[in-house]
């Protein structure tokens, strides 16, 4: 039995007891057993890399029939301490399919002696956009202007100082455009202020200036516990209805300065936050040629799916290498251009597989990644990667495939 | 209950009863459930493709802890009719990790209505080198001169007519150089004649002329049930101690005529035998510029492992597409040169994973495929693929990696 107390900045003041000490298997083998919390498509897509390298990867899935079912050795709630500690008992490293594991659960995991990558202190910033903004400013990294606002009056002050508009964000729980709203008056935020006040959090919202950007970029990297890191070329991400629709790798017409600045920011963030594993920094390229940090993810990311077929090392293999503290793989592209297009559940009935005969016959070079999820409208159910030498023709073909699948 | 009787040429005269009719799931979904008989590394390497495409692939493995354990839904003996029929009940298509399923078991499978790819009639030729030689001659395809010999006297006649030497082969059960022997006198074959006489087979051996070849080539292809087929570029295979050591893709300095002839032969064989799935034809390139058929495999093959990282479509994805009767994928290479090097269990102790820190640090672009097998000396336990533009430097690096793993 062990007890402990961990104090995190601002929100957490955690006491815990843990039932059993962790019993790592390192004495038996140098290759670690890796436990992934969360059974979504990111965990699913780690499995091919795990099979190639014969890494022992186990998944704690939320439900039976999850996308990562093939790797699932347990099913349970990632918010439940006993479930997570039991799952962790037989692995050497814990990593994640998502960033939502509560800090008290993370703290208890660390206390058992299991390695946790990324660690709780790093994940904290991925879990809270206000903490992240404060850290970015502390690190001197370029961001949109922002403020923590606790009331409609404070919000109105910010809007008045920034051309009458801003992007309002809930600090926690947002994804794929959820928890993000463009506001032109503080009256548009009343419901959110009420909600955060009732949530038991600090009651604050994050507001950012509405950036005049020409396009969105993303920089994907990986970092080992000792600090070794590797970066893929900067990519352009294209959103539709607040969801990533396409990724162009590398970002077309990105001059050396923009690419270098994107990598400088990613490196500073990774080192500054002590990230371990794969992470992605979403960036704005502004009309006046600056690069600003928009969001950050501390896990394999949609903007990195192109690496599965377009890079020597995929982000999923790299993530497993990083969390197992193995040397990182080459991030060299395999082709001049790779285009990734997401497939959402659309108007067409049936599963993606129902369209295989048509799509495969028409596009024999399309690499299809099917998450095995029920195709509800708007839900990400898969993606395709297509490589080539001419951006416009590759992109046109990728969109055609997307439309065959989505209807 | 059903009963039946199937007569195969020469060896088989099969009666069977099957307990239950097959109940395919096609009405529910267009994507088929695929059952793989055999849990070796070939079945293992089908799993990443199955995960990407969300194909439901199940494996009947020989033992627990087999290389394909992650896909194994059953463990049992592939020679046992009940085991195989039970496994087949829940799938729509049966395919194979190896060619050794007995014809009576195959016949019973066909009788249940499950699709079997490749089918028993095609597999028969992969199971028997004498039948294959006869078929090759019937199809008018170029082979080394050969004869079926039933006694030392018959063998001596052949040797005398072919420069006093020949390659003697047991018609059944050979692989990786086993069941193959170069003989210069019929006295060297006495033990094998005794063994085949006692085996209950025809008592024959196959003898072939000792071909004066400059190198060995292999041509990999895939064929759908309806006849659509696709071929990868011809590759050079390099054997050491009778086992494939290296594959160079595409075969260096292969002029258009040799490549075209290799593909012509493969196409004629695939159509002539009615093969379904991936198959490989091993070839000799002779000093006088001819291409002769050496052996054939009706399954994904060691000479095609380079496709996992060197081709738009890997042989494992292609095999699943072909047996599920889906359109075939592009066989375009991803790089000017891909070199595959096998890793055998060697003098070094421990597992391949024990050498990951060293190998990954030194060769960040090596794609490692680890079969998760205990590394007994001489046993194939994995392979690596390496891509590049300059053959000699890629090959040198591939050999260096092989030696780091093998010792």
């Amino acid at each position: 039995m062990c007890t402990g107390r961990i104090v995190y900045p601002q929100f957490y003041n955690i006491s815990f007891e843990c039932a059993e000490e962790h019993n790592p298997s390192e004495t038996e083998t140098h290759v670690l057993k890796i436990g992934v919390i969360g059974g979504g498509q990111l965990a699913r897509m780690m499995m091919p890399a795990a099979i190639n390298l014969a890494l022992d990867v186990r998944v704690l899935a939320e439900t039976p029939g999850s996308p990562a079912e093939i790797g699932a050795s347990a099913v349970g709630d990632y918010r439940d301490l006993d479930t997570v500690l039991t799952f962790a008992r037989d692995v050497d490293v814990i990593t994640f399919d998502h960033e939502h594991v509560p800090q008290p659960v993370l703290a208890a995991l660390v206390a058992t002696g299991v390695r946790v990558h990324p660690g709780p202190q790093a994940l904290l910033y991925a879990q809270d956009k206000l903490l992240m903004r404060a850290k970015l400013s502390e690190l001197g990294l370029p961001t949109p202007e922002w403020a923590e606002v606790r009331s409609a009056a404070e919000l109105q002050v910010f809007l008045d100082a920034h051309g009458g508009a801003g992007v309002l964000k809930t600090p926690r729980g947002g994804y794929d455009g959820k928890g993000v709203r463009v506001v032109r008056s503080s009256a548009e935020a009343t419901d959110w202020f009420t909600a955060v006040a009732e949530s038991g959090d600090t009651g604050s919202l994050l507001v950012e200036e509405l950036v005049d950007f020409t396009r969105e970029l993303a920089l994907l990297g990986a970092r080992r516990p000792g600090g070794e890191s590797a970066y893929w070329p900067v990519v352009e991400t294209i959103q539709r209805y607040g969801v990533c629709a396409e990724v162009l790798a590398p970002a077309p017409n990105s001059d050396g300065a923009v690419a270098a600045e994107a990598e400088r920011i990613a490196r500073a963030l990774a080192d500054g936050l002590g990230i371990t594993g794969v992470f992605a920094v979403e960036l704005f390229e502004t009309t006046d040629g600056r690069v600003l940090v928009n969001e950050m993810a501390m896990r394999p990311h949609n903007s990195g799916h192109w690496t599965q077929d377009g890079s020597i090392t995929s982000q999923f293999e790299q993530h497993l290498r990083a969390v197992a503290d193995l040397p990182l793989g080459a991030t060299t592209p395999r082709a001049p251009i790779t285009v990734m297009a997401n497939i959402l559940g659309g108007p067409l009935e049936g599963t993606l597989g129902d369209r295989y005969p048509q799509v495969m016959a028409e596009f024999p070079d399309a690499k299809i990644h099917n998450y095995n999820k029920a195709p509800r409208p708007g839900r990400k159910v898969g993606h395709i990667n297509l490589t080539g030498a001419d951006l416009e023709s590759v992109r046109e073909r990728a969109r055609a495939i997307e439309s065959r699948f989505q209807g």
Side-chain angles (χ1 to χ4, degrees), chain A:
Chain A
M1 295 288 281
C2 64
T3 58
R5 184 170 190 82
I6 293 184
V7 179
Y8 283 102
Q10 200 158 342
F11 299 128
Y12 297 103
N13 187 334
I14 298 163
S15 302
F16 60 87
E17 284 191 10
C18 60
E20 239 175 86
E21 289 229 27
H22 183 68
N23 183 20
S25 65
E26 273 169 277
T27 48
E28 293 158 34
T29 166
H30 293 181
V31 175
L32 306 175
K33 294 189 181 113
I34 300 168
V36 182
I37 297 185
Q41 62 255 31
L42 300 179
R44 175 186 184 87
M45 291 188 279
M46 292 176 201
M47 298 312 298
I51 293 170
N52 288 341
L53 292 174
L55 297 178
D56 187 345
V57 173
R58 297 151 190 219
V59 173
L60 173 62
E62 292 79 1
T63 54
S66 69
E69 185 166 36
I70 192 166
S73 64
V75 170
D77 187 344
Y78 62 83
R79 295 163 301 189
D80 181 70
L81 194 59
D82 282 344
T83 300
V84 172
L85 290 180
T86 303
F87 174 68
R89 204 166 291 150
D90 295 325
V91 300
D92 308 292
V93 188
I94 287 286
T95 188
F96 309 95
D97 170 80
H98 57 71
E99 296 140 332
H100 309 313
V101 177
Q103 285 286 334
V105 174
L106 295 173
L109 277 172
V110 169
T112 67
V114 71
R115 308 175 194 190
V116 179
H117 296 305
Q121 303 257 13
L123 272 174
L124 193 57
Y125 296 99
Q127 292 175 339
D128 191 298
K129 292 188 167 86
L130 273 168
L131 281 185
M132 177 63 91
R133 282 292 171 219
K135 188 71 180 181
L136 284 165
S137 297
E138 181 193 322
L139 292 170
L141 295 173
T143 69
E145 289 189 35
W146 65 277
E148 178 177 355
V149 288
R150 286 186 183 76
S151 66
E154 285 185 14
L155 174 58
Q156 195 58 54
V157 170
F158 183 91
L159 296 180
D160 292 345
H162 292 86
V167 182
L168 195 66
K169 298 181 177 179
T170 54
R172 308 180 141 257
Y175 68 96
D176 275 355
K178 293 174 186 69
V180 176
R181 183 188 287 178
V182 174
V183 293
R184 296 183 190 279
S185 147
S186 60
E188 297 173 46
T190 316
D191 55 336
W192 277 11
F193 278 116
T194 307
V196 290
E198 286 169 357
S199 73
D201 270 353
T202 58
S204 300
L205 293 173
L206 168 66
V207 62
E208 297 171 10
E209 65 169 320
L210 202 57
V211 174
D212 191 14
F213 64 87
T214 52
R215 60 176 178 171
E216 294 187 58
L217 302 173
L219 202 297
L220 187 77
R223 188 172 175 278
R224 288 174 72 181
E228 183 200 344
S229 60
Y231 301 87
W232 284 270
V234 67
V235 301
E236 179 174 342
T237 62
I238 292 151
Q239 327 289 321
R240 283 198 281 277
Y241 310 108
V243 177
C244 175
E246 264 181 280
V247 171
L248 316 180
N253 310 314
S254 65
D255 64 21
V258 165
E261 172 67 354
E263 189 175 314
R264 181 191 74 83
I265 291 169
R267 191 181 292 273
L269 251 177
D271 291 339
L273 302 183
I275 297 172
T276 41
V278 161
F279 60 94
V281 187
E282 299 178 63
L283 302 155
F284 294 125
E285 187 176 349
T286 65
T287 46
D288 55 353
R290 290 177 304 144
V291 176
L292 305 177
V293 177
N294 176 21
E295 304 277 356
M296 159 144 223
M298 282 187 209
R299 49 171 171 74
H301 188 248
N302 201 165
S303 68
H305 290 352
W306 71 276
T307 60
Q308 291 173 300
D309 302 291
S311 168
I312 295 288
T313 308
S314 81
Q315 65 169 343
F316 300 103
E317 177 176 339
Q318 196 79 305
H319 185 69
L320 295 179
R321 288 183 181 223
V323 303
D325 202 12
L326 288 167
L328 300 177
T331 55
T332 323
R334 286 187 181 276
I337 296 286
T338 304
V339 172
M340 189 286 310
N342 276 329
I343 303 166
L344 308 184
L348 277 184
E349 293 210 351
T351 67
L352 294 192
D354 293 340
R355 260 89 76 192
Y356 281 179
Q358 179 194 5
V359 172
M360 288 176 173
E362 200 177 351
F363 302 96
D365 59 337
K367 303 316 294 176
I368 300 169
H369 298 269
N370 180 340
Y371 309 156
N372 211 21
K373 290 160 85 169
R376 290 201 296 267
R379 186 187 205 195
K380 285 180 192 169
V381 292
H383 68 270
I384 61 106
N385 287 327
L386 213 54
T387 53
D390 176 65
L391 175 66
E392 279 319 308
S393 69
V394 176
R395 211 174 155 187
E396 199 174 290
R397 297 178 73 241
R399 284 177 173 175
I401 300 167
E402 185 195 332
S403 77
R404 300 286 186 286
F405 275 123
Q406 272 175 226

